[in-house]
Amino acid sequence: MQSSARNQFPGTVSHISHGVVTDEVQIRTEHNAQLVATITHGSAIGLGIQAGSQVIAMIKAPSVIVVTDAEGMRFSARNQLTGKVTQVKTGSVNTEVCIDAQGLQVVAIVTNDSATHLGLEPGKTATALFKASQVVLAVRA
């Protein structure tokens, strides 16, 4: 499978809560990180997603929010992966930030101003946040 989503995390569905319109899917990645996706009930049925299913969770880099100094803060984003910045690539407008969090390499795109304001550099602790609704699930055909 080829996709433009920079973040692709294989895992196993550990739990699924079915709703009338949407389902909440909990995924344990190969690196034992826990992710949550909210997908339509029709998609869950169509893809045959159930507990034990192998899935790939995909999140586009611009959908990832980077937070530093998050001690004592709570966020509404269900997916929160804390780790160390491993790479920072500055472009003319945006900066690509890689965070090694729980064995996952999470890529985010932030503005250059945000990267400067947050003091993003290799070795800095940062948290990658993304909403469950921003996670797209794929299954092998």
Side-chain angles (χ1 to χ4, degrees):
M1 175 188 71
Q2 294 183 341
S3 168
S4 64
R6 290 292 303 277
N7 300 294
Q8 298 185 25
F9 307 124
T12 303
V13 174
S14 56
H15 182 75
I16 186 165
S17 297
H18 296 286
V20 175
V21 177
T22 59
D23 290 355
E24 180 183 276
V25 182
Q26 296 179 15
I27 302 128
R28 179 145 326 266
T29 70
E30 294 175 336
H31 295 284
N32 217 27
Q34 185 73 26
L35 301 178
V36 179
T38 302
I39 63 174
T40 65
H41 182 68
S43 290
I45 298 298
L47 293 172
I49 294 175
Q50 57 189 338
S53 293
Q54 298 297 307
V55 297
I56 300 170
M58 299 184 295
I59 307 95
K60 291 183 64 72
S63 296
V64 178
I65 297 168
V66 177
V67 177
T68 59
D69 303 318
E71 185 79 24
M73 299 295 294
R74 295 187 318 177
F75 300 97
S76 62
R78 298 286 303 277
N79 298 291
Q80 303 178 25
L81 302 169
T82 300
K84 297 283 185 188
V85 174
T86 58
Q87 191 173 42
V88 178
K89 288 184 190 174
T90 304
S92 59
V93 177
N94 292 319
T95 298
E96 179 183 88
V97 181
C98 297
I99 301 170
D100 184 345
Q102 296 176 255
L104 302 177
Q105 289 295 317
V106 183
V107 179
I109 301 294
V110 300
T111 64
N112 291 345
D113 287 345
S114 291
T116 299
H117 175 73
L118 294 171
L120 297 176
E121 60 185 29
K124 183 165 183 118
T125 298
T127 301
L129 305 172
F130 49 95
K131 296 174 66 77
S133 60
Q134 295 300 308
V135 179
V136 174
L137 296 182
V139 297
R140 300 212 185 275

